[in-house]
């Protein structure tokens, strides 16, 4: 593991969604590798505090308030990162939000926010950084955070699920584009399983009984097989450094969901509700 992480050691890391959860944990892990860390998040107070923590421990950090749904904000982030620390070795497009509710009941502004952060934040993060990373001609890493949900389907979680499918597909295509370009840039997709973060606490919408059931299912999953954000980061960073495309926090769960999805695409049955949701529907 040490040899793998040496590929990152001493470089520059840029992490979006760094104010909490997996992003914060990855930033702290990167700082332990003597990386200069650029912290990007819409919550300036949280990333300022995190930067202070990293610097108090002898590290180097720059907090940049960033709304990843705005392409120009990601361009400014790239400028700030290169101006402060030079060439970027690791870019983690991690920012994401959860939205619950029936698709037709979610306001247009909430749809735009969810897709703007979860999809466009990844796309324009790559667009803002990749040209300079490629031009440097040195080994570097781009990791995009999807989810095990990007391998499945779930009602009332539609905005989140479709965005994570999109991030997975984008990352697969990006990996092929780097190969065509013969660029020394490793591309990874992060597929977190149950990780204790703020994403469901901060989730917008979903006051209906089915959305509430979904929240309860997620809480139960975290209780049964959840891990901390710090544990997740310790699993994620070595896989990125190894050049793995598929980066998982719960390999068995990821494999099971991938196999189920593959079987679904092979057999092409009608989409079906889970037993829990079907029971709720009958009870109603």
């Amino acid at each position: 593991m040490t040899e793998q992480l040496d590929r990152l050691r001493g470089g520059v890391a840029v992490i979006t969604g760094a104010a909490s959860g997996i992003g914060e944990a990855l930033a702290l892990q990167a700082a332990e590798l003597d990386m200069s860390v650029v912290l990007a998040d819409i919550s300036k107070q949280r990333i300022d505090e995190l930067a202070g923590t990293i610097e108090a421990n002898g590290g180097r950090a720059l907090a940049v308030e960033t709304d990843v749904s705005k392409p120009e904000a990601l361009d400014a982030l790239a400028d700030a990162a290169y101006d402060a620390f030079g060439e970027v070795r690791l870019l983690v497009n991690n920012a994401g939000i959860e939205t619950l509710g029936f698709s037709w009941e979610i306001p247009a502004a909430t749809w735009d926010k969810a897709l703007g952060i979860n999809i466009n934040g990844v796309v324009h993060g790559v667009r803002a950084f990749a040209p300079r990373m490629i031009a440097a001609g040195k080994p570097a890493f781009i990791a995009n955070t999807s989810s095990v949900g990007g391998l499945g389907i779930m009602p009332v979680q539609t905005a989140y699920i479709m965005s994570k499918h999109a991030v997975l597909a984008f990352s697969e295509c990006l990996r092929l584009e780097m190969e065509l370009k013969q660029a020394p840039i490793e591309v990874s997709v992060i597929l977190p399983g149950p990780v204790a973060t703020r994403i469901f606490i901060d989730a917008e919408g979903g006051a209906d009984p089915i959305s509430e059931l979904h929240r309860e299912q997620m809480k139960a999953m975290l209780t049964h097989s959840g891990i901390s954000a710090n544990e997740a980061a310790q699993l994620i960073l070595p896989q990125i450094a190894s050049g793995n495309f598929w980066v998982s926090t719960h390999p068995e769960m990821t494999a099971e969901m991938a196999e189920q999805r593959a079987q679904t695409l092979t057999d092409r049955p009608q989409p079906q509700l889970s037993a829990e949701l079907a029971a709720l529907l009958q009870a109603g």
Side-chain angles (χ1 to χ4, degrees), residues 2 13 36 74 96 116 136 200 216 229 234 264:
T2 301
S36 301
L74 287 161
F200 288 106
E216 292 304 315
Q234 289 177 345
T264 296

Side-chain angles (χ1 to χ4, degrees), residues 14-24 26 39-43 47 64 66-70 74 77 91-98 113-125 143-147 160 163-164 167 190 192 197 199:
V14 179
I15 301 169
T16 70
S20 63
I22 292 174
E24 178 184 12
L26 286 171
L39 311 166
D41 201 283
I42 200 167
S43 176
I47 54 174
V64 183
T66 308
D67 181 349
V68 300
S69 69
K70 300 183 183 304
L74 287 161
L77 174 64
L91 169 66
V92 185
N93 293 303
N94 171 73
I97 61 170
E98 172 69 282
K113 180 179 179 181
L115 302 185
I117 293 172
N118 292 6
I119 299 177
N120 291 341
V122 174
V123 171
H124 291 297
N144 303 321
T145 300
S146 176
S147 165
Y160 180 80
S163 69
K164 296 306 183 179
V167 171
I190 305 170
T197 69
I199 193 165

Side-chain angles (χ1 to χ4, degrees), residues 42 86 239 249 276:
I42 200 167
Q239 293 179 70
T249 61
E276 295 87 349

